[in-house]
């Protein structure tokens, strides 16, 4: 069966997830417009795609209107790690809210299908475990993480109001912890932190006692889920959880990274950040039944691929992870 080529906009396309999504869409034969303001996205993430005649890059901030012609929109633009989204919390909220308004307005004008990359952070520090899509969450609206948590919650509200009021064709994916090549080396997220510290032989910093749990999905699996959701019939709007339901403690993750890197790093402990969730695991029953999707890459295999990426990055950039 021949694939109908579409022109697809990916906001945040030079970021960790966005660059992998651009790559996957190009492989499927689509034309891709990558839009990024490079606050957390990096040109290096998409440099290998520049020569592809179906690929275009545009520097743009989604808090301002965008006037382009496309068939579909994946809205991934927003800093996703606490280090980055707390750097300028007002701008983070604007990116989620104004960005959603601008992309929804574009989709309305074009009558285009649009997908919102939401987050498991809409569940806050959950009182229901594992988290299902019908759980409304337990979120601090005035805390240090609120710029991201509440910004994403508001974006979901906007998406469903545009759907109800303007019959817009929307998709909402709630993304749980994802890791893999092209993560920013200094983004403060637990997988990249642990790997960078282990490769440098530095102590691995665990916030809290390490008993808090997370579930980690390899990036290739996550991208498959996003594409599968976009391809569903219009009646399927989501929200749909996308993540790996295998749960482990932060301490177990640290020990796995030490083993796989062959590092001599020791564990050190620091106070838990404000509003840091104690546990996080997706219920992906809906993704399995609606999308026929579930993660396939085991944690150990995914960590090995990610460690190999960071080893190459250190060789290129030096121990700091920054260009000289």
């Amino acid at each position: 069966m021949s694939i109908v080529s579409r022109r697809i906009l990916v906001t945040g396309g030079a970021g960790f997830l966005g660059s992998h999504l651009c790559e996957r869409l190009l492989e499927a034969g689509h034309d891709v417009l990558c839009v990024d303001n490079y606050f957390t996205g990096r040109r290096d993430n998409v440099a290998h795609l520049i020569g592809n005649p179906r690929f275009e890059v545009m520097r743009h901030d989604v808090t301002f209107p965008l006037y382009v012609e496309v068939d579909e929109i994946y809205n991934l633009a927003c800093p996703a790690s606490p280090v980055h989204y707390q750097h300028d919390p007002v701008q983070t909220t604007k990116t989620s809210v104004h960005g959603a308004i601008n992309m929804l307005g574009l989709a309305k004008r074009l009558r285009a299908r649009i997908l919102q990359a939401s987050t498991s952070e809409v569940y806050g520090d959950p009182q229901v475990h594992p988290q299902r899509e019908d759980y409304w969450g337990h979120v601090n609206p005035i805390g240090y993480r609120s710029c991201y948590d509440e910004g994403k919650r508001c974006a979901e509200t906007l998406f469903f109001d545009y759907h109800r009021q303007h019959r817009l064709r929307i998709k909402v994916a709630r993304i749980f912890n994802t890791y893999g090549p092209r993560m920013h080396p200094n983004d403060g997220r637990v997988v990249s932190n642990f790997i960078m510290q282990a490769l440098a032989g530095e102590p691995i910093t665990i916030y809290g006692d390490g008993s808090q749990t997370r579930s980690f999905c390899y990036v290739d699996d996550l991208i498959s889920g996003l594409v599968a959701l976009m391809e569903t019939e219009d009646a399927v709007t989501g929200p749909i959880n996308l993540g790996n339901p295998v749960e482990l403690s932060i301490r177990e993750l640290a020990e796995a990274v030490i083993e796989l890197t062959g590092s001599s790093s020791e564990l050190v402990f620091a106070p838990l950040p404000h509003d840091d969730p104690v546990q996080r695991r997706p219920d992906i029953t809906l993704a399995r039944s609606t999308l026929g999707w579930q993660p396939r890459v085991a944690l150990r295999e995914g960590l090995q691929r990610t460690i190999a990426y960071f080893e190459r990055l250190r060789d290129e950039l030096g121990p700091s992870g920054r260009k000289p």
Side-chain angles (χ1 to χ4, degrees):
M1 185 175 69
S2 61
I3 295 174
V4 177
S5 177
R6 297 186 290 274
R7 181 166 166 78
I8 301 176
L9 167 62
V10 179
T11 71
F16 164 48
L17 295 182
S19 62
H20 285 276
L21 177 59
C22 288
E23 198 171 57
R24 184 74 63 88
L25 295 173
L26 287 169
E27 289 171 356
H30 300 298
D31 293 333
V32 175
L33 172 59
C34 166
V35 166
D36 208 295
N37 68 351
Y38 299 112
F39 174 60
T40 57
R42 297 190 297 165
R43 292 176 182 84
D44 288 348
N45 286 343
V46 293
H48 65 295
L49 304 177
I50 296 295
N52 191 319
R54 292 184 175 273
F55 184 68
E56 181 182 354
V57 181
M58 177 187 298
R59 181 168 189 152
H60 180 82
D61 189 323
V62 296
T63 61
F64 298 95
L66 179 63
Y67 303 101
V68 295
E69 304 298 319
V70 295
D71 302 307
E72 289 180 352
I73 302 168
Y74 286 84
N75 186 38
L76 274 62
C78 190
S81 73
V83 167
H84 290 144
Y85 66 63
Q86 291 173 9
H87 173 73
D88 189 345
V90 172
Q91 185 62 28
T92 295
T93 303
K94 284 182 176 180
T95 300
S96 285
V97 178
H98 291 187
I101 290 170
N102 288 328
M103 291 306 106
L104 287 163
L106 177 62
K108 179 187 172 187
R109 178 176 71 82
L110 299 174
R111 306 182 71 84
R113 185 178 289 179
I114 181 169
L115 182 146
Q116 167 68 3
S118 191
T119 174
S120 62
E121 298 301 331
V122 301
Y123 298 121
D125 189 3
Q127 297 176 320
V128 171
H129 194 73
Q131 292 78 59
R132 289 169 31 129
E133 291 86 351
D134 57 4
Y135 174 53
W136 290 356
H138 178 230
V139 177
N140 178 0
I142 59 171
Y144 289 98
R145 302 168 66 102
S146 305
C147 58
Y148 185 69
D149 302 359
E150 296 288 36
K152 289 288 192 178
R153 285 163 69 95
C154 185
E156 286 197 14
T157 299
L158 286 162
F159 265 68
F160 278 92
D161 282 338
Y162 266 79
H163 173 64
R164 288 184 286 258
Q165 187 170 339
H166 301 296
R167 297 183 179 178
L168 206 62
R169 296 181 294 159
I170 67 165
K171 311 286 179 183
V172 176
R174 289 179 177 165
I175 299 172
F176 282 68
N177 292 67
T178 305
Y179 70 101
R182 298 184 207 146
M183 293 184 79
H184 197 292
N186 301 304
D187 68 2
R189 284 190 266 196
V190 64
V191 172
S192 51
N193 267 6
F194 286 0
I195 292 175
M196 291 296 287
Q197 289 173 332
L199 291 176
E202 298 171 351
I204 288 183
T205 306
I206 293 178
Y207 295 98
D209 62 6
S211 63
Q212 65 270 34
T213 63
R214 295 291 185 273
S215 304
F216 297 97
C217 184
Y218 188 66
V219 62
D220 289 356
D221 286 331
L222 190 281
I223 298 303
S224 295
L226 291 179
V227 172
L229 176 56
M230 182 65 100
E231 296 296 327
T232 54
E233 60 186 20
D234 291 346
V236 178
T237 61
I240 291 184
N241 290 337
L242 295 178
N244 194 321
V246 177
E247 185 178 14
L248 76 161
S249 72
I250 296 300
R251 181 166 189 143
E252 287 173 324
L253 175 67
E255 290 169 347
V257 168
I258 289 172
E259 177 195 347
L260 292 171
T261 56
S263 176
S264 59
S265 296
E266 298 181 352
L267 303 181
V268 296
F269 298 86
L272 200 65
H274 290 282
D275 301 323
D276 194 59
V278 173
Q279 55 187 5
R280 183 64 55 75
R281 177 163 69 93
D283 183 320
I284 63 167
T285 302
L286 188 57
R288 285 193 177 110
S289 62
T290 306
L291 310 180
W293 176 88
Q294 63 181 11
R296 301 185 181 281
V297 179
L299 180 66
R300 190 176 186 88
E301 180 184 351
L303 284 177
Q304 288 172 332
R305 296 181 192 177
T306 309
I307 289 166
Y309 167 77
F310 279 111
E311 286 175 332
R312 291 193 301 272
L313 195 66
R314 277 175 52 83
D315 290 341
E316 296 170 5
L317 304 183
S320 68
R322 299 182 178 90
K323 289 187 177 181

